[in-house]
Amino acid sequence: MSDRTVTVLIEIGCEELPSSACREAVEQAPGLFAVALAAAGVEGDHPARVSVSPRRIALLAKVPAAVPAVTRRHRGPAAQAAFGEDGAPTKAAQGFARGKGVAVEDLVVEEHEGRPFVFALEEQPGRAIDDLVSGIAERVLTGLRFSKNMRWGDGTGLRFSRPVRWLVAKVDERTVAFDLQGLMAGDVSRGHRFLGGPVTIAAAAGYHETLEGVAVVADHAERERRIRAGLDAAAAAAGGTWRDPAGKLGEVVFLVEAPSVITGAIDAAQMRLPARVLVTAMQSHQRYMPLYDAAGDLMPAFLAVSNGDPAHADVITRGNEGVLNARLQDAIFSFDKDRAAGLDALGARLDAIVFHKRLGTMAQRRDRLVTGARALAAAVEVPEIVAVQAARAAELAKADQGAVLVDEFSDLQGYVAAVYARLEGEAEEVAAAVEQQYLPEGPDSPLPAGEVGPIVAMAEKLDALVGAFAVDEAPTGSKDPYGLRRAAMGVVRIVLDRGWDIDEAALLAESHGAFAAQGADLALGREATVAAVEAFLADRLAYILGNEGVGPDAVAAAAGAGVGGLAATAAWARAIEASRGEEGFLAAREAATRLVRLARKGAGTDAAPAAGDDPGEAALRAAVGEAAAGVGAGREARDFGAALAACVPLAGAVDRFFTDVLVNAEDDGVRARRYALIGQAAEVLGLVADFERVS
């Protein structure tokens, strides 16, 4: 390979890409470029600098100036099959040579793994990198996969996020011309749609600097740096700090090519809206950044990232202010209309809102949440005042489904009901629980706080899970339209955080009963639904514990022991993981595995002592009784160590039993009794762990 390197530039210019497609290109392009280099015969690691903006995907890399000549060896049939006894080539040799494009007399015989084979030698001449650029560009362009595509190209049906309008290909100062999907690659790029124009790229290495001259910051990392610096400066000038609660900055970076920051004002009269309504209007619709003062309160101003001409910042600012003002005016109208109606009127509207066509109305869901919250409050044995507040919060939780403001801002479900509850004088514990009903919203999001919030949040999720599973609409593959995986993760996180040692199956059964009592059109019965939801929750538990370093076999072994609900199973699984290498655990596992295997082979119905009872049987029977008492006490105390310790003597007794006693006795009654005793011993050990699951 040549020691000399050159700089290669490939730019794919398109109509404005959505920000999601830009992020996909950033993720995929480096790998596609590396694969394309390897396919072209370029050896070694030559990482590309990928620059993505709304109108371009560019790759810049230093690569060898040329690929050296190589001889490729293609193995064919064994020599014995390739040539007859007279040395003449057979049809196998002739076909192989023809397929490789060489004369049959040019085939060579060489040893391979101790046997002679024929080989065809293919000489590939050295090539300049200029000759390879078209193939590399095509591999990158056709290899990009976007979540949303449109057909593009010269009748080939190529799919791409947006139509490709131009291609630039350079090797140092040289332009590489080639046709790709009806476009001729050249050296002319395009600048900012309004502030720039066509521009000639004289040299690959000067690509970014050249585009700066036509108002394009091509490198997305540099754009983000400039945007952050601009936001910091503008916020400081306004006397506040900016925040990005909805994480819109990552989207904004791919919406602009010439970023500048403007500061807009909010009418003081509109600041009476709840804070999250203001922020949602700024962020979800306009991608503005809210400003906060030193006390952490919203300021009547916002920051926006413009892609326009900074010389006309005043006009751009007025336009942005006008758009936000219209949104906030609508919000004020909706807010005032809801407040005039009141929570009772909003709640009355739930009878006309369908929750699910087979599961009834939102009013019916509200009633189930009240029932579920009361049942959960009783299960976790909270004080009566907490139970009353949980039921009230559940009653109000869905009130804003009938609110005009939620029609306007659907992301604020729960929050709006909490705001109205506070304004109408509900207890703060009730309002906070209403606001927190959807928490946690992800694996790392905050959990509901206080005593009331977790009860309402869990009741909300259990209702969603039972309802969806009961109508046979469980998640499949990547499809999860109701967010059930998130709901199940939330249930597990809440239970583990609170340490609630409860029987989730009983709560699930009660929830199913509430659906049935309301006349819901259910596809699955109570037992099937409970089993399916329990298995779903167990998967989420295994995932969470796996992140702690607890193996899935330990979780399965704990679940098999049936010690209790999710929290008890989690604690048991952690203890199994911590004990799996200890001598006592290994002895119990060996004994349990042996017992279970034998118990499957024989049938025994009565292990009670009988006349002529063998001393070995008596010893094992006594050990089983003692272990059963100790294991039961350990399970009752949720003390895995105590339960395991109670089994260690039993493990020793099992070893002695198999040494001293012939299980398969000739007498049918004796044999059955001994198998029954084996089954009892296995059952006791199974109450500690499903040892067969532990590797």
Side-chain angles (χ1 to χ4, degrees):
M1 184 177 291
S2 171
D3 292 334
R4 189 170 70 86
T5 62
V6 293
T7 302
V8 169
L9 166 68
I10 298 171
E11 183 192 49
I12 303 167
C14 7
E15 295 291 341
E16 273 79 359
L17 295 165
S19 61
S20 59
C22 290
R23 289 191 290 270
E24 289 166 339
V26 169
E27 293 171 359
Q28 298 174 33
L32 290 171
F33 184 73
V35 170
L37 285 182
V42 179
E43 298 179 352
D45 186 21
H46 308 284
R49 176 185 178 184
V50 177
S51 299
V52 179
S53 77
R55 300 183 70 208
R56 69 204 74 235
I57 301 167
L59 300 101
L60 200 68
K62 283 189 175 296
V63 300
V67 175
V70 296
T71 300
R72 297 192 180 278
R73 308 168 63 78
H74 304 282
R75 180 164 61 89
Q80 185 177 3
F83 299 101
E85 292 182 2
D86 58 357
T90 64
K91 289 184 178 180
Q94 293 170 2
F96 173 65
R98 187 166 52 251
K100 296 304 178 184
V102 300
V104 70
E105 55 268 22
D106 291 334
L107 296 176
V108 298
V109 178
E110 295 181 359
E111 291 285 328
H112 177 74
E113 296 181 352
R115 296 179 57 201
F117 287 83
V118 295
F119 285 82
L121 306 182
E122 177 189 2
E123 301 292 339
Q124 289 190 349
R127 291 163 293 171
I129 196 69
D130 303 51
D131 299 329
L132 304 174
V133 168
S134 62
I136 293 170
E138 183 170 11
R139 273 183 172 268
V140 172
L141 189 149
T142 58
L144 287 167
R145 295 289 182 266
F146 302 102
S147 53
K148 294 183 179 179
N149 298 281
M150 60 190 303
R151 294 192 181 277
W152 167 85
D154 190 13
T156 62
L158 177 69
R159 300 180 70 83
F160 206 75
S161 179
R162 292 292 185 271
V164 179
R165 296 306 189 196
W166 75 91
L167 296 169
V168 173
K170 301 285 292 189
V171 176
D172 286 343
E173 291 80 20
R174 300 186 299 279
T175 300
V176 182
F178 58 87
D179 180 274
L180 181 57
Q181 302 292 331
L183 282 177
M184 182 60 68
D187 61 358
V188 178
S189 181
R190 301 183 190 179
H192 189 282
R193 185 174 287 279
F194 307 113
L195 305 178
V199 62
T200 299
I201 308 298
Y207 171 73
H208 292 89
E209 292 76 10
T210 301
L211 286 183
E212 288 269 3
V214 285
V216 172
V217 182
D219 185 274
H220 48 277
E222 174 61 18
R223 279 202 311 281
E224 181 172 350
R225 187 195 68 77
R226 295 190 192 184
I227 290 171
R228 287 184 178 277
L231 291 170
D232 289 343
T241 57
W242 65 277
R243 298 180 193 171
D244 183 19
K248 294 294 181 178
L249 182 58
E251 185 178 350
V252 169
V253 167
F254 293 110
L255 296 177
V256 299
E257 289 194 318
S260 59
V261 176
I262 59 174
T263 304
I266 301 173
D267 191 315
Q270 296 171 336
M271 294 301 293
R272 68 184 178 89
L273 284 167
R276 276 184 58 187
V277 175
L278 289 163
V279 171
T280 300
M282 285 186 248
Q283 290 224 289
S284 66
H285 297 284
Q286 305 307 129
R287 306 179 189 89
Y288 299 160
M289 304 298 164
L291 283 169
Y292 294 82
D293 61 23
D297 296 325
L298 271 175
M299 297 173 62
F302 65 88
L303 303 181
V305 180
S306 168
N307 194 40
D309 188 348
H312 301 293
D314 289 347
V315 175
I316 296 170
T317 300
R318 286 197 299 272
N320 281 270
E321 289 174 340
V323 171
L324 181 59
N325 177 69
R327 293 288 303 163
L328 294 180
Q329 283 295 107
D330 289 344
I332 286 176
F333 174 81
S334 300
F335 179 74
D336 289 344
K337 191 171 183 179
D338 288 339
R339 289 285 295 119
L343 277 174
D344 289 342
L346 296 182
R349 296 173 188 172
L350 299 183
D351 280 314
I353 301 174
V354 175
F355 165 58
H356 186 286
K357 63 182 180 181
R358 296 176 63 180
L359 298 175
T361 66
M362 195 61 71
Q364 289 174 308
R365 186 169 199 221
R366 172 201 60 207
D367 296 343
R368 291 194 306 274
L369 290 181
V370 173
T371 300
R374 286 174 176 154
L376 183 55
V380 298
E381 298 179 347
V382 295
E384 178 63 22
I385 182 61
V386 174
V388 170
Q389 290 174 339
R392 179 56 177 164
E395 186 179 4
L396 298 177
K398 303 303 176 184
D400 59 10
Q401 296 293 313
V404 183
L405 189 58
V406 167
D407 279 343
E408 196 84 18
F409 299 93
S410 60
D411 291 346
L412 297 181
Q413 296 176 45
Y415 171 74
V416 169
V419 168
Y420 295 162
R422 290 186 177 99
L423 290 173
E424 293 195 15
E426 294 286 344
E428 175 55 28
E429 292 84 355
V430 170
V434 171
E435 186 172 349
Q436 298 177 86
Q437 64 182 287
Y438 298 111
L439 294 180
E441 295 178 313
D444 301 315
S445 72
L447 288 157
E451 294 298 316
V452 182
I455 294 173
V456 177
M458 184 163 162
E460 202 277 339
K461 291 163 181 58
L462 290 178
D463 182 82
L465 287 164
V466 171
F469 275 81
V471 295
D472 201 18
E473 293 186 11
T476 56
S478 61
K479 296 181 179 179
D480 187 9
Y482 304 126
L484 299 181
R485 292 188 180 94
R486 183 174 63 246
M489 184 72 78
V491 168
V492 176
R493 286 189 63 199
I494 290 170
V495 168
L496 297 189
D497 176 68
R498 309 304 294 189
W500 285 341
D501 191 0
I502 56 177
D503 182 359
E504 289 88 7
L507 294 171
L508 296 173
E510 187 167 344
S511 177
H512 187 279
F515 278 104
Q518 290 177 343
D521 180 17
L522 306 180
L524 300 181
R526 181 175 302 185
E527 289 186 8
T529 301
V530 171
V533 177
E534 278 198 297
F536 196 62
L537 292 172
D539 286 343
R540 308 280 88 71
L541 176 64
Y543 174 81
I544 290 175
L545 293 180
N547 290 336
E548 298 179 12
V550 179
D553 57 340
V555 180
V563 70
L566 293 168
T569 300
W572 216 253
R574 294 183 184 112
I576 289 174
E577 184 66 39
S579 304
R580 66 162 75 221
E582 296 177 359
E583 184 177 345
F585 185 91
L586 295 173
R589 186 185 70 178
E590 183 178 353
T593 302
R594 192 175 183 185
L595 288 167
V596 170
R597 191 164 53 242
L598 272 172
R600 293 194 187 106
K601 292 182 179 180
T605 58
D606 185 6
D613 197 9
D614 187 281
E617 286 184 61
L620 180 58
R621 185 175 293 106
V624 168
E626 291 177 10
V631 169
R635 286 168 61 92
E636 183 70 23
R638 299 295 191 254
D639 186 342
F640 174 81
L644 178 62
C647 282
V648 173
L650 176 58
V654 168
D655 286 340
R656 292 190 295 275
F657 175 79
F658 286 122
T659 300
D660 299 339
V661 176
L662 177 63
V663 176
N664 289 313
E666 291 185 7
D667 184 284
D668 291 344
V670 172
R671 184 170 62 252
R673 186 178 70 240
R674 290 174 180 175
Y675 270 109
L677 183 56
I678 286 171
Q680 286 186 355
E683 185 177 343
V684 170
L685 288 169
L687 293 173
V688 178
D690 186 349
F691 285 102
E692 285 193 304
R693 299 290 190 94
V694 184
S695 58

